[in-house]
Amino acid sequence: MLFFHKPGIVNVRMIITEEKILSNIDKVQKMINPNSKKQIVQLDEDAFFKDLIDSIKTYLIEYPKKKNFPAGVYRAAYGLVEYATNQFEENTKKIETLIRQREKNINVANNLKGLLDSVENKEKDWKSKVKQSTSVLSEDIIQALVVVGKAKNKKTDNYNDAIKLIKARISNLETNLHIEIDMERIEDKSKALSYIGIEIAEALKGIPAPVEDEKTQVIEQVEENEYLAQTRFEVKPSLWQRIKTSKLVRTIAYICKVKVVLQLPALPEGRGEN
C-alpha cells in the first residue's frame, strides 16, 4: 500500500517508498542478469519475484500525481523493461540456435542409420561412406562402424558393443535430450522476462516521460495537452514495438510447446504505429 501526505508537508513515507521501489527494481534486475548465480527460473513457483514485480507495478499505477512522478523511479522502471526485453530477445536467438541444432542432430541420426545399414550389409562403398562421414561423426562412432564393417562374425563382443554404441548414439541424436532441457530452461527464463516487460510496461504507459533540459534537469510537464501526449509514451516507441514483436507466442509457446500461454494485454502504441 502507498502512503501519501497532503501537498506542502514533507513526505517522509513517500521518500522511503521511493527508495524501496528503486531497491526492488535493482533486485529484479540482478535476478534476471544472465551472469547472476541465482537467476529466475520458475516464474510460476517464485512468489518473491512476483511480489517484487507487483510492488513496482502498484507504485507506478497508484502514484497520485503522475505529472510529478519521481524521474529516478521512472528511468529505473523503464530501464528494467528495456533490459528484460533485451534479455528476452537474446533468449529467442538461443532458442532458434537450439532448434537448428536439433534439426541437424535429427539429420545426422537419419544418415547414421543409413550408414549402419550399409556397413552391416557390407555394401561395396561402405568404406568410402564411412570416410566421408569423419567430419560429421565422432571418432568413437567411426571406429565402431569400421568394427562392424570388418567383422566376419556377428556374435563377437566387439561387434555387439559396436552396434550398441552406434544405436545408442542414434537414439541420443533423435531424442535431443540435452537440447530439450536447455530449451525448457530458457523457456522458463523467458516467461519471467516477458512477465516483467508486460506488467511494468503496461503500468508505465500512464506516466509522462520525464523531459530534461540541456543541463539534464527534469522539467515538469504543466500543460494538459503535453501531459496527455506524454502519457501515450511517444519517447522511444521502438521498445514497445520490440515487446510486441518479440515472437513470444510463436517462438516460445509454439516451438517449446509451452502449456501456459501468456495473454498479452494491449501495450502502448508509439505515434504512427498501427
Side-chain angles (χ1 to χ4, degrees), residues 173-274:
L173 288 168
E174 287 178 333
T175 57
N176 290 290
L177 181 59
H178 67 287
I179 290 180
E180 297 297 335
I181 292 174
D182 287 344
M183 289 177 67
E184 184 176 353
R185 188 178 296 117
I186 294 173
E187 168 208 327
D188 289 332
K189 293 178 183 177
S190 292
K191 283 183 181 180
L193 293 169
S194 61
Y195 185 76
I196 294 171
I198 293 167
E199 295 295 311
I200 305 302
E202 182 69 12
L204 270 174
K205 73 176 184 179
I207 302 173
V211 178
E212 300 179 355
D213 60 14
E214 296 179 354
K215 297 181 180 179
T216 67
Q217 295 178 337
V218 177
I219 301 176
E220 292 185 357
Q221 299 301 300
V222 183
E223 299 295 332
E224 184 65 20
N225 60 339
E226 291 182 5
Y227 168 70
L228 292 175
Q230 288 293 340
T231 60
R232 300 317 305 157
F233 208 93
E234 184 178 3
V235 180
K236 294 185 179 180
S238 60
L239 175 59
W240 311 119
Q241 189 62 35
R242 285 163 57 199
I243 293 173
K244 291 185 291 181
T245 60
S246 58
K247 302 180 183 178
L248 173 62
V249 176
R250 284 186 299 170
T251 303
I252 303 300
Y254 176 73
I255 295 176
C256 297
K257 299 179 182 178
V258 178
K259 294 181 180 179
V260 179
V261 179
L262 297 178
Q263 297 297 320
L264 300 179
L267 293 176
E269 299 283 352
R271 290 190 173 182
E273 295 179 355
N274 295 323

Side-chain angles (χ1 to χ4, degrees), residues 23-34:
S23 175
N24 287 353
I25 292 174
D26 183 63
K27 288 177 182 178
V28 173
Q29 186 141 342
K30 287 179 179 177
M31 293 173 80
I32 63 175
N33 187 325

Side-chain angles (χ1 to χ4, degrees), residues 17-253:
T17 304
E18 180 179 337
E19 292 175 349
K20 180 63 177 177
I21 293 302
L22 287 172
S23 175
N24 287 353
I25 292 174
D26 183 63
K27 288 177 182 178
V28 173
Q29 186 141 342
K30 287 179 179 177
M31 293 173 80
I32 63 175
N33 187 325
N35 298 321
S36 174
K37 294 181 180 180
K38 187 178 181 181
Q39 277 191 299
I40 287 294
V41 176
Q42 296 290 340
L43 170 62
D44 297 332
E45 299 175 5
D46 201 317
F48 177 65
F49 171 75
K50 284 188 172 182
D51 287 344
L52 287 175
I53 299 300
D54 185 63
S55 70
I56 298 168
K57 179 181 177 181
T58 301
Y59 185 93
L60 296 174
I61 292 175
E62 295 188 2
Y63 198 94
K65 293 186 177 181
K66 298 295 192 292
K67 290 187 293 183
N68 297 326
F69 191 86
V73 175
Y74 182 94
R75 294 192 194 94
Y78 186 95
L80 177 62
V81 173
E82 190 165 36
Y83 186 75
T85 303
N86 289 336
Q87 292 299 319
F88 186 92
E89 291 174 345
E90 287 300 314
N91 280 0
T92 300
K93 294 176 183 177
K94 291 177 182 177
I95 287 288
E96 292 171 347
T97 298
L98 289 172
I99 291 170
R100 287 193 294 269
Q101 183 62 53
R102 182 173 63 182
E103 293 173 350
K104 179 181 177 181
N105 287 352
I106 292 174
N107 289 333
V108 172
N110 291 332
N111 292 335
L112 184 53
K113 283 181 180 179
L115 188 54
L116 178 58
D117 288 339
S118 177
V119 171
E120 281 187 297
N121 295 325
K122 301 292 191 296
E123 294 180 1
K124 291 182 179 180
D125 58 347
W126 75 264
K127 290 183 180 180
S128 62
K129 287 182 178 179
V130 171
K131 187 175 181 180
Q132 291 171 5
S133 301
T134 54
S135 61
V136 179
L137 300 174
S138 59
E139 185 177 352
D140 60 338
I141 295 299
I142 294 295
Q143 291 176 351
L145 289 167
V146 172
V147 168
V148 173
K150 290 184 177 181
K152 295 180 180 180
N153 185 352
K154 295 185 177 182
K155 295 182 179 180
T156 64
D157 290 340
N158 286 343
Y159 181 90
N160 290 327
D161 289 344
I163 291 292
K164 288 180 181 178
L165 177 62
I166 296 169
K167 289 186 175 180
R169 187 63 50 84
I170 291 172
S171 178
N172 288 339
L173 288 168
E174 287 178 333
T175 57
N176 290 290
L177 181 59
H178 67 287
I179 290 180
E180 297 297 335
I181 292 174
D182 287 344
M183 289 177 67
E184 184 176 353
R185 188 178 296 117
I186 294 173
E187 168 208 327
D188 289 332
K189 293 178 183 177
S190 292
K191 283 183 181 180
L193 293 169
S194 61
Y195 185 76
I196 294 171
I198 293 167
E199 295 295 311
I200 305 302
E202 182 69 12
L204 270 174
K205 73 176 184 179
I207 302 173
V211 178
E212 300 179 355
D213 60 14
E214 296 179 354
K215 297 181 180 179
T216 67
Q217 295 178 337
V218 177
I219 301 176
E220 292 185 357
Q221 299 301 300
V222 183
E223 299 295 332
E224 184 65 20
N225 60 339
E226 291 182 5
Y227 168 70
L228 292 175
Q230 288 293 340
T231 60
R232 300 317 305 157
F233 208 93
E234 184 178 3
V235 180
K236 294 185 179 180
S238 60
L239 175 59
W240 311 119
Q241 189 62 35
R242 285 163 57 199
I243 293 173
K244 291 185 291 181
T245 60
S246 58
K247 302 180 183 178
L248 173 62
V249 176
R250 284 186 299 170
T251 303
I252 303 300

